[in-house]
Amino acid sequence: MVFEILDKKNKSHEQVVFCLDRKVNLKAIISIHSTSLGPALGGCRMFPYETENQALEDVLRLSEAMSHKAAVAGLPLGGGKSVIIGDPDKDKTTEMLKSFGRYIESLKGKYVVSKDMGITTTDLQCVAKECNYVMGRPLRQGGIGDPSRWTAQGVFYGIQKVVKWKLKKDSLKGLRVLIQGLGAVGYNLLEFLYKEGVEIFAFDIKQEILNDVKSKFPKVHVISKNEVFSTACDIFAPCSISFVINKENLEKLQCSIVAGGANNQLHSSAMDNKLMEKGILYVPDFVINGGGLIYASSCISPKKSEDWVNKKIKDIPKTIQSICERSASENVGTAEIAVQIAKERIEHSRIGVGA
Ligand code: NAD
């Protein structure tokens, strides 16, 4: 089955590495989609996948999206991603992370690991004990810190842009935004939106996070899992797991815009058209959530200034605007347009025109 998935989905991936270290309960997959524009920089996700096939499907799509993300942001990076199969709250150990680091080291810099769901900057410090190719260790250890605030900043700018485009509003004040997942990205996004007077509905599977939100942001409506897709709102902002926009959830959605930080938001490419048919504007995930990658790339030699990072992140809404315009004029889904733009930029960079 694994080989069937690889054969079907992996036609364009450069390398897929299966990591198995029984002594430390490590089961992980590293997927390198492309290194044609540079090293494949991408986060590691730790998640209790129900099957190994699900983990493989996720990592293949996540790594391809990283190639597209770097290309639309105009960064000299390839696309890669990794997943560790397990519950980050129960199964993670230092020895497991170190073993994972040895697998990454064996790739000699083709893949550079950073943070994704279920992995923290401290975890990356453990990985770095065995591996030189790590971005996102804690600042106090000499690392670049957590890029998630930059990711959330880009999502915030992107939301401002599509609110103007779709809802014809200059301000977010009073709009209703539903955030699914209040981890590193979702929590930061909540802070940005709260300051703007947005009416926020929020859900996370961790009760302690919800308690924290209730105490620090008293105006936020904390909702239950069942209410995530059925609550009427202007913007639905997925900020956690993959594939949340599927056939079932699509029927329930009551929003005008889907714009959030999560990767792999669409269960399949068919969802792109279905959202458009429903009159919902989908902001392609790998475009709106590129802020963290922009920040991480600024830390690679030759290093770039904070001004450079800010300027690049401010380009995110410009790219979103052109995707919206092209989607409207060609009557093609925004996700498809975004992939076309990414592929065009990859092709142009390969032959040395544009960047
Ligand atoms: P995180 O682990 O810090 O937070 C994820 C949160 O989602 C956790 O609080 C977890 O409890 C919650 N969660 C898990 N399953 C859930 C569910 N079914 N419903 C609601 N909440 C659920 O991860 P993160 O770094 O914030 O990443 C979140 C998403 O953003 C991921 O899809 C990731 O790939 C994407 N992303 C992150 C970055 C970044 O800079 N961290 C950059 C680009 C994209």
Side-chain angles (χ1 to χ4, degrees):
M1 184 65 180
V2 159
F3 286 98
E4 263 174 47
I5 295 173
L6 279 174
D7 198 36
K8 212 163 74 189
K9 303 239 174 182
N10 182 34
K11 295 221 173 353
S12 56
H13 290 66
E14 275 178 30
Q15 191 175 358
V16 180
V17 181
F18 292 83
C19 319
L20 177 66
D21 184 347
R22 289 197 183 85
K23 282 196 275 319
V24 297
N25 283 327
L26 172 75
K27 260 193 194 174
I29 309 171
I30 302 167
S31 170
I32 297 173
H33 176 256
S34 165
T35 53
S36 61
L37 300 186
L41 171 61
C44 171
R45 172 175 293 193
M46 183 161 183
F47 189 76
Y49 293 99
E50 280 167 25
T51 66
E52 289 161 17
N53 291 344
Q54 278 178 6
L56 180 59
E57 298 246 10
D58 206 19
V59 77
L60 290 175
R61 279 191 46 185
L62 285 167
S63 59
E64 184 173 9
M66 289 307 290
S67 294
H68 295 158
K69 191 183 302 196
V72 291
L75 303 172
L77 293 169
K81 206 86 182 181
S82 54
V83 294
I84 298 179
I85 301 173
D87 184 333
D89 293 327
K90 296 191 195 132
D91 303 329
K92 202 190 283 168
T93 63
T94 302
E95 289 312 312
M96 171 194 273
L97 293 168
K98 282 167 69 180
S99 171
F100 181 57
R102 289 190 288 276
Y103 277 101
I104 298 172
E105 182 66 22
S106 72
L107 295 168
K108 299 190 180 350
K110 241 178 133 178
Y111 172 61
V112 180
V113 68
S114 61
K115 180 207 160 347
D116 197 81
M117 229 169 83
I119 292 290
T120 64
T121 54
T122 313
D123 296 334
L124 291 174
Q125 182 65 21
C126 290
V127 175
K129 287 191 175 138
E130 302 285 336
C131 166
N132 286 307
Y133 308 105
V134 179
M135 293 222 80
R137 292 180 300 116
L139 285 170
R140 63 181 183 282
Q141 317 274 6
I144 67 162
D146 186 345
S148 309
R149 186 139 188 106
W150 297 100
T151 303
Q153 175 98 61
V155 176
F156 174 69
Y157 289 153
I159 286 177
Q160 283 180 318
K161 175 55 77 185
V162 284
V163 160
K164 201 164 183 174
W165 167 265
K166 170 100 181 157
L167 306 180
K168 316 283 179 239
K169 293 200 166 146
D170 289 325
S171 160
L172 301 186
K173 196 165 189 295
L175 288 180
R176 294 155 63 101
V177 179
L178 193 153
I179 307 177
Q180 180 198 33
L182 301 163
V185 175
Y187 197 96
N188 277 302
L189 179 62
L190 183 147
E191 285 184 334
F192 284 119
L193 295 172
Y194 197 79
K195 276 191 206 138
E196 294 296 306
V198 168
E199 185 175 3
I200 298 170
F201 297 79
F203 172 70
D204 195 285
I205 51 167
K206 289 189 183 151
Q207 191 55 45
E208 67 270 24
I209 297 186
L210 295 178
N211 294 343
D212 173 83
V213 164
K214 272 188 207 162
S215 69
K216 292 197 182 125
F217 307 95
K219 291 189 194 145
V220 170
H221 308 281
V222 166
I223 58 171
S224 68
K225 191 174 184 178
N226 295 337
E227 294 170 305
V228 168
F229 296 99
S230 54
T231 301
C233 56
D234 297 292
I235 299 154
F236 172 52
C239 291
S240 61
I241 49 171
S242 295
F243 310 140
V244 289
I245 310 290
N246 54 34
K247 250 195 213 163
E248 215 178 79
N249 295 336
L250 183 87
E251 294 306 319
K252 299 185 207 151
L253 273 184
Q254 298 181 53
C255 61
S256 306
I257 295 166
V258 173
N263 281 308
N264 275 3
Q265 290 175 27
L266 303 187
H267 182 261
S268 68
S269 53
M271 293 299 121
D272 189 21
N273 282 333
K274 298 264 179 228
L275 282 165
M276 196 166 67
E277 280 162 25
K278 257 191 110 165
I280 298 175
L281 174 63
Y282 169 64
V283 184
D285 44 17
F286 65 79
V287 179
I288 197 168
N289 73 15
L293 187 68
I294 290 171
Y295 168 67
S297 81
S298 77
C299 303
I300 298 172
S301 183
K303 291 191 178 166
K304 315 284 190 312
S305 66
E306 196 166 319
D307 279 354
W308 180 89
V309 176
N310 277 315
K311 196 187 150 298
K312 276 259 175 218
I313 292 182
K314 285 192 176 144
D315 285 344
I316 291 176
K318 292 182 197 156
T319 308
I320 291 171
Q321 168 89 24
S322 40
I323 290 169
C324 291
E325 285 168 3
R326 211 163 129 178
S327 162
S329 76
E330 295 176 24
N331 198 27
V332 171
T334 48
E336 193 178 330
I337 297 286
V339 171
Q340 281 173 17
I341 292 176
K343 288 186 172 164
E344 284 159 16
R345 293 198 183 168
I346 291 171
E347 207 42 48
H348 280 202
S349 304
R350 268 202 196 112
I351 57 176
V353 284

